[in-house]
Amino acid sequence: MIVEVNSDLVGHVVNILNDSYRTGPSWTTEKHLVAGQRATANTITNEINKQYKYFLLKDKDQYIGCFNLKRQQNTIEIGGLGVACNRQNSGYGKYLLKKAEEISSKVPDVNRLILSVLEPRLELIEFYKRQGYKSTSIKFPFPLDRDVGVPLVDNLQVIVLEKLLVN
C-alpha cells in the first residue's frame, strides 16, 4: 500500500533512504561516493514544505520503500526512491517507480518525468534505462546545498534522465 507522508511518517523515509543509500549492504549504496547521511528529518520536512510530495510503501506492518515527486511546470521529478536493504532484489524498486509514474501521469499538463542520478552509478542508470528512461545532456555538480552528504570523489556530477509520458 502506498501512503502519502505526513509529519508523523518522516522518520520512516529518513531510515529507508539512509539504509539504502549510505549504511546498509545495498546495491543502491553511494557510501563509496558520498559521506554522511542521505536524509535527515529536517531535510525531508523542509522539502515537504517546499511542495515535494513523499510517499511510503507499507507491507503488512512495515514501511519498506519510498519516493518523492516534485512538479516543475510540465515535468515531475522523481527522487528519493529507496527500498529497505532487506527487501531489495524483490521487485519493490520497479513497483515504486511504476507507482511514481502512475501518480505523475494523473497530474494535468504533465508530459515529462525526470530522475537525477550520480554519474558514476552506471548500474543504477542502466536500471532506469531498462524502465524506459533516456539520458539527457543535463549534468550538474553534486548538490552540496541540499544537505544530502559530502562527496568523497572530486568533481562528482549528477546526470538527468527523462521519460516522456504518452497521453
Side-chain angles (χ1 to χ4, degrees), residues 3-4 6 17 28 31-32 35 39 46 49 56-58 71-72 85 92 104-105 117 123-124 141 145 151 163:
V3 296
E4 190 168 346
N6 60 33
L17 290 176
T28 57
K31 62 186 171 187
H32 60 293
N46 287 339
N49 292 335
L56 281 162
L57 172 60
K58 188 173 187 178
R71 183 175 182 168
Q72 304 164 6
C85 290
Y92 291 115
S104 298
S105 71
V117 182
E123 71 285 2
L124 193 52
D145 61 332
K163 183 176 189 176

Side-chain angles (χ1 to χ4, degrees), residues 55-101:
F55 298 87
L56 281 162
L57 172 60
K58 188 173 187 178
D59 183 37
K60 297 181 178 119
D61 61 344
Q62 288 187 317
Y63 292 103
I64 63 169
C66 62
F67 64 88
N68 70 56
L69 303 174
K70 181 162 192 320
R71 183 175 182 168
Q72 304 164 6
Q73 298 163 347
N74 70 328
T75 299
I76 290 184
E77 179 176 5
I78 300 172
L81 197 149
V83 176
C85 290
N86 65 348
R87 295 300 194 86
Q88 290 187 0
N89 298 314
S90 300
Y92 291 115
K94 279 186 201 171
Y95 176 78
L96 287 169
L97 185 60
K98 293 295 177 208
K99 282 297 186 184
E101 292 173 355

Side-chain angles (χ1 to χ4, degrees), residues 91-159:
Y92 291 115
K94 279 186 201 171
Y95 176 78
L96 287 169
L97 185 60
K98 293 295 177 208
K99 282 297 186 184
E101 292 173 355
E102 181 182 304
I103 293 167
S104 298
S105 71
K106 294 176 182 172
V107 177
D109 302 320
V110 168
N111 59 18
R112 181 174 172 251
L113 304 173
I114 60 171
L115 296 158
S116 298
V117 182
L118 295 178
E119 188 175 38
R121 298 295 319 283
L122 300 179
E123 71 285 2
L124 193 52
I125 292 165
E126 289 305 314
F127 167 79
Y128 288 125
K129 285 183 175 180
R130 288 191 302 273
Q131 311 315 308
Y133 288 80
K134 298 190 182 325
S135 296
T136 69
S137 60
I138 303 168
K139 186 188 292 194
F140 57 91
F142 182 86
L144 294 171
D145 61 332
R146 288 208 45 221
D147 193 27
V148 291
V150 179
L152 295 172
V153 297
D154 292 336
N155 196 30
L156 185 58
Q157 298 286 303
V158 178
I159 64 165

Side-chain angles (χ1 to χ4, degrees), residues 7-68:
S7 59
D8 294 337
L9 298 175
V10 166
H12 295 288
V13 174
V14 171
N15 291 340
I16 291 166
L17 290 176
N18 286 328
D19 183 45
S20 63
Y21 284 94
R22 300 289 163 75
T23 58
S26 162
W27 80 273
T28 57
T29 188
E30 300 170 344
K31 62 186 171 187
H32 60 293
L33 299 170
V34 182
Q37 292 187 317
R38 172 65 170 76
T40 65
N42 200 30
T43 302
I44 302 302
T45 300
N46 287 339
E47 288 183 346
I48 290 171
N49 292 335
K50 292 179 182 172
Q51 308 302 307
Y52 285 76
K53 291 190 180 290
Y54 274 84
F55 298 87
L56 281 162
L57 172 60
K58 188 173 187 178
D59 183 37
K60 297 181 178 119
D61 61 344
Q62 288 187 317
Y63 292 103
I64 63 169
C66 62
F67 64 88
N68 70 56

